[in-house]
PDB file of all heavy atoms in Angstrom:
ATOM      1  N   PRO A1118     162.557   7.566 216.075  1.00 65.00           N
ATOM      2  CA  PRO A1118     162.877   8.947 215.717  1.00 65.00           C
ATOM      3  C   PRO A1118     162.278   9.356 214.378  1.00 65.00           C
ATOM      4  O   PRO A1118     162.262   8.590 213.416  1.00 65.00           O
ATOM      5  CB  PRO A1118     164.402   8.945 215.662  1.00 65.00           C
ATOM      6  CG  PRO A1118     164.770   7.533 215.352  1.00 65.00           C
ATOM      7  CD  PRO A1118     163.747   6.699 216.041  1.00 65.00           C
ATOM      8  N   PHE A1119     161.774  10.574 214.323  1.00 76.00           N
ATOM      9  CA  PHE A1119     161.347  11.132 213.048  1.00 76.00           C
ATOM     10  C   PHE A1119     162.591  11.572 212.274  1.00 76.00           C
ATOM     11  O   PHE A1119     163.646  11.800 212.861  1.00 76.00           O
ATOM     12  CB  PHE A1119     160.403  12.316 213.270  1.00 76.00           C
ATOM     13  CG  PHE A1119     161.039  13.515 213.907  1.00 76.00           C
ATOM     14  CD1 PHE A1119     161.512  14.561 213.140  1.00 76.00           C
ATOM     15  CD2 PHE A1119     161.161  13.605 215.297  1.00 76.00           C
ATOM     16  CE1 PHE A1119     162.093  15.668 213.723  1.00 76.00           C
ATOM     17  CE2 PHE A1119     161.742  14.714 215.883  1.00 76.00           C
ATOM     18  CZ  PHE A1119     162.206  15.750 215.099  1.00 76.00           C
ATOM     19  N   THR A1120     162.461  11.695 210.968  1.00 83.00           N
ATOM     20  CA  THR A1120     163.610  12.074 210.162  1.00 83.00           C
ATOM     21  C   THR A1120     163.343  13.379 209.426  1.00 83.00           C
ATOM     22  O   THR A1120     162.210  13.725 209.125  1.00 83.00           O
ATOM     23  CB  THR A1120     163.954  10.987 209.128  1.00 83.00           C
ATOM     24  OG1 THR A1120     162.846  10.796 208.257  1.00 83.00           O
ATOM     25  CG2 THR A1120     164.286   9.676 209.811  1.00 83.00           C
ATOM     26  N   ILE A1121     164.417  14.080 209.144  1.00 87.00           N
ATOM     27  CA  ILE A1121     164.384  15.335 208.404  1.00 87.00           C
ATOM     28  C   ILE A1121     165.382  15.208 207.265  1.00 87.00           C
ATOM     29  O   ILE A1121     166.539  14.845 207.483  1.00 87.00           O
ATOM     30  CB  ILE A1121     164.741  16.527 209.301  1.00 87.00           C
ATOM     31  CG1 ILE A1121     163.758  16.636 210.470  1.00 87.00           C
ATOM     32  CG2 ILE A1121     164.760  17.815 208.499  1.00 87.00           C
ATOM     33  CD1 ILE A1121     164.112  17.708 211.472  1.00 87.00           C
ATOM     34  N   THR A1122     164.935  15.481 206.046  1.00 88.00           N
ATOM     35  CA  THR A1122     165.801  15.308 204.891  1.00 88.00           C
ATOM     36  C   THR A1122     165.759  16.542 204.004  1.00 88.00           C
ATOM     37  O   THR A1122     164.919  17.420 204.159  1.00 88.00           O
ATOM     38  CB  THR A1122     165.390  14.077 204.064  1.00 88.00           C
ATOM     39  OG1 THR A1122     164.060  14.282 203.556  1.00 88.00           O
ATOM     40  CG2 THR A1122     165.412  12.813 204.913  1.00 88.00           C
ATOM     41  N   PHE A1146     167.557  15.623 219.359  1.00 71.00           N
ATOM     42  CA  PHE A1146     166.731  14.533 218.867  1.00 71.00           C
ATOM     43  C   PHE A1146     167.604  13.565 218.084  1.00 71.00           C
ATOM     44  O   PHE A1146     168.703  13.904 217.641  1.00 71.00           O
ATOM     45  CB  PHE A1146     165.582  15.036 218.002  1.00 71.00           C
ATOM     46  CG  PHE A1146     166.009  15.660 216.693  1.00 71.00           C
ATOM     47  CD1 PHE A1146     165.984  14.935 215.517  1.00 71.00           C
ATOM     48  CD2 PHE A1146     166.424  16.980 216.641  1.00 71.00           C
ATOM     49  CE1 PHE A1146     166.362  15.508 214.324  1.00 71.00           C
ATOM     50  CE2 PHE A1146     166.805  17.563 215.449  1.00 71.00           C
ATOM     51  CZ  PHE A1146     166.775  16.819 214.273  1.00 71.00           C
ATOM     52  N   SER A1147     167.116  12.349 217.930  1.00 64.00           N
ATOM     53  CA  SER A1147     167.809  11.334 217.148  1.00 64.00           C
ATOM     54  C   SER A1147     167.252  11.349 215.741  1.00 64.00           C
ATOM     55  O   SER A1147     166.041  11.394 215.541  1.00 64.00           O
ATOM     56  CB  SER A1147     167.602   9.944 217.766  1.00 64.00           C
ATOM     57  OG  SER A1147     168.114   9.906 219.079  1.00 64.00           O
ATOM     58  N   ALA A1148     168.127  11.318 214.779  1.00 63.00           N
ATOM     59  CA  ALA A1148     167.681  11.310 213.392  1.00 63.00           C
ATOM     60  C   ALA A1148     168.715  10.611 212.531  1.00 63.00           C
ATOM     61  O   ALA A1148     169.916  10.741 212.759  1.00 63.00           O
ATOM     62  CB  ALA A1148     167.453  12.736 212.888  1.00 63.00           C
ATOM     63  N   ASN A1149     168.239   9.863 211.577  1.00 60.00           N
ATOM     64  CA  ASN A1149     169.129   9.202 210.628  1.00 60.00           C
ATOM     65  C   ASN A1149     169.382  10.153 209.477  1.00 60.00           C
ATOM     66  O   ASN A1149     168.574  10.260 208.559  1.00 60.00           O
ATOM     67  CB  ASN A1149     168.493   7.901 210.134  1.00 60.00           C
ATOM     68  CG  ASN A1149     169.351   7.226 209.083  1.00 60.00           C
ATOM     69  OD1 ASN A1149     170.523   7.558 208.943  1.00 60.00           O
ATOM     70  ND2 ASN A1149     168.765   6.307 208.341  1.00 60.00           N
ATOM     71  N   ASN A1150     170.500  10.836 209.520  1.00 56.00           N
ATOM     72  CA  ASN A1150     170.779  11.856 208.511  1.00 56.00           C
ATOM     73  C   ASN A1150     171.826  11.405 207.499  1.00 56.00           C
ATOM     74  O   ASN A1150     172.350  12.207 206.752  1.00 56.00           O
ATOM     75  CB  ASN A1150     171.247  13.145 209.184  1.00 56.00           C
ATOM     76  CG  ASN A1150     170.094  13.894 209.801  1.00 56.00           C
ATOM     77  OD1 ASN A1150     169.364  14.594 209.117  1.00 56.00           O
ATOM     78  ND2 ASN A1150     169.930  13.731 211.093  1.00 56.00           N
ATOM     79  N   GLU A1151     172.126  10.142 207.465  1.00 58.00           N
ATOM     80  CA  GLU A1151     173.162   9.657 206.570  1.00 58.00           C
ATOM     81  C   GLU A1151     172.758   9.893 205.105  1.00 58.00           C
ATOM     82  O   GLU A1151     171.768   9.346 204.619  1.00 58.00           O
ATOM     83  CB  GLU A1151     173.418   8.174 206.806  1.00 58.00           C
ATOM     84  CG  GLU A1151     174.541   7.608 205.937  1.00 58.00           C
ATOM     85  CD  GLU A1151     174.810   6.140 206.227  1.00 58.00           C
ATOM     86  OE1 GLU A1151     174.193   5.605 207.166  1.00 58.00           O
ATOM     87  OE2 GLU A1151     175.626   5.543 205.496  1.00 58.00           O
ATOM     88  N   GLY A1152     173.512  10.724 204.428  1.00 60.00           N
ATOM     89  CA  GLY A1152     173.296  10.935 203.012  1.00 60.00           C
ATOM     90  C   GLY A1152     172.162  11.877 202.667  1.00 60.00           C
ATOM     91  O   GLY A1152     171.907  12.103 201.480  1.00 60.00           O
ATOM     92  N   ASN A1153     171.483  12.451 203.637  1.00 70.00           N
ATOM     93  CA  ASN A1153     170.342  13.280 203.270  1.00 70.00           C
ATOM     94  C   ASN A1153     170.625  14.778 203.370  1.00 70.00           C
ATOM     95  O   ASN A1153     169.730  15.576 203.141  1.00 70.00           O
ATOM     96  CB  ASN A1153     169.103  12.916 204.109  1.00 70.00           C
ATOM     97  CG  ASN A1153     169.272  13.211 205.590  1.00 70.00           C
ATOM     98  OD1 ASN A1153     170.049  14.085 205.966  1.00 70.00           O
ATOM     99  ND2 ASN A1153     168.564  12.491 206.434  1.00 70.00           N
ATOM    100  N   ARG A1154     171.816  15.145 203.728  1.00 78.00           N
ATOM    101  CA  ARG A1154     172.254  16.547 203.726  1.00 78.00           C
ATOM    102  C   ARG A1154     171.404  17.442 204.616  1.00 78.00           C
ATOM    103  O   ARG A1154     171.251  18.624 204.355  1.00 78.00           O
ATOM    104  CB  ARG A1154     172.285  17.103 202.292  1.00 78.00           C
ATOM    105  CG  ARG A1154     173.242  16.364 201.374  1.00 78.00           C
ATOM    106  CD  ARG A1154     173.166  16.873 199.956  1.00 78.00           C
ATOM    107  NE  ARG A1154     171.864  16.668 199.373  1.00 78.00           N
ATOM    108  CZ  ARG A1154     171.426  15.511 198.888  1.00 78.00           C
ATOM    109  NH1 ARG A1154     172.208  14.446 198.941  1.00 78.00           N
ATOM    110  NH2 ARG A1154     170.225  15.406 198.368  1.00 78.00           N
ATOM    111  N   ALA A1155     170.836  16.891 205.669  1.00 83.00           N
ATOM    112  CA  ALA A1155     170.088  17.707 206.623  1.00 83.00           C
ATOM    113  C   ALA A1155     170.926  17.942 207.871  1.00 83.00           C
ATOM    114  O   ALA A1155     170.431  17.960 208.985  1.00 83.00           O
ATOM    115  CB  ALA A1155     168.766  17.045 206.983  1.00 83.00           C
ATOM    116  N   THR A1156     172.208  18.099 207.671  1.00 85.00           N
ATOM    117  CA  THR A1156     173.120  18.377 208.769  1.00 85.00           C
ATOM    118  C   THR A1156     174.341  19.083 208.202  1.00 85.00           C
ATOM    119  O   THR A1156     174.666  18.932 207.025  1.00 85.00           O
ATOM    120  CB  THR A1156     173.543  17.083 209.489  1.00 85.00           C
ATOM    121  OG1 THR A1156     174.430  17.393 210.563  1.00 85.00           O
ATOM    122  CG2 THR A1156     174.232  16.118 208.542  1.00 85.00           C
ATOM    123  N   LEU A1161     172.892  19.373 213.696  1.00 89.00           N
ATOM    124  CA  LEU A1161     171.544  19.337 213.156  1.00 89.00           C
ATOM    125  C   LEU A1161     170.810  20.672 213.297  1.00 89.00           C
ATOM    126  O   LEU A1161     169.888  20.956 212.533  1.00 89.00           O
ATOM    127  CB  LEU A1161     170.716  18.256 213.866  1.00 89.00           C
ATOM    128  CG  LEU A1161     171.255  16.824 213.777  1.00 89.00           C
ATOM    129  CD1 LEU A1161     170.429  15.905 214.654  1.00 89.00           C
ATOM    130  CD2 LEU A1161     171.246  16.345 212.346  1.00 89.00           C
ATOM    131  N   SER A1293     161.391  10.187 206.485  1.00 70.00           N
ATOM    132  CA  SER A1293     161.395  11.466 205.755  1.00 70.00           C
ATOM    133  C   SER A1293     160.127  12.248 206.032  1.00 70.00           C
ATOM    134  O   SER A1293     159.425  12.696 205.128  1.00 70.00           O
ATOM    135  CB  SER A1293     161.554  11.222 204.244  1.00 70.00           C
ATOM    136  OG  SER A1293     162.793  10.615 203.958  1.00 70.00           O
TER     137      SER A1293
END
Side-chain angles (χ1 to χ4, degrees):
F1119 67 96
T1120 61
I1121 300 175
T1122 63
F1146 67 98
S1147 299
N1149 177 16
N1150 284 280
E1151 182 178 355
N1153 65 26
R1154 299 176 297 281
T1156 180
L1161 301 173
S1293 297

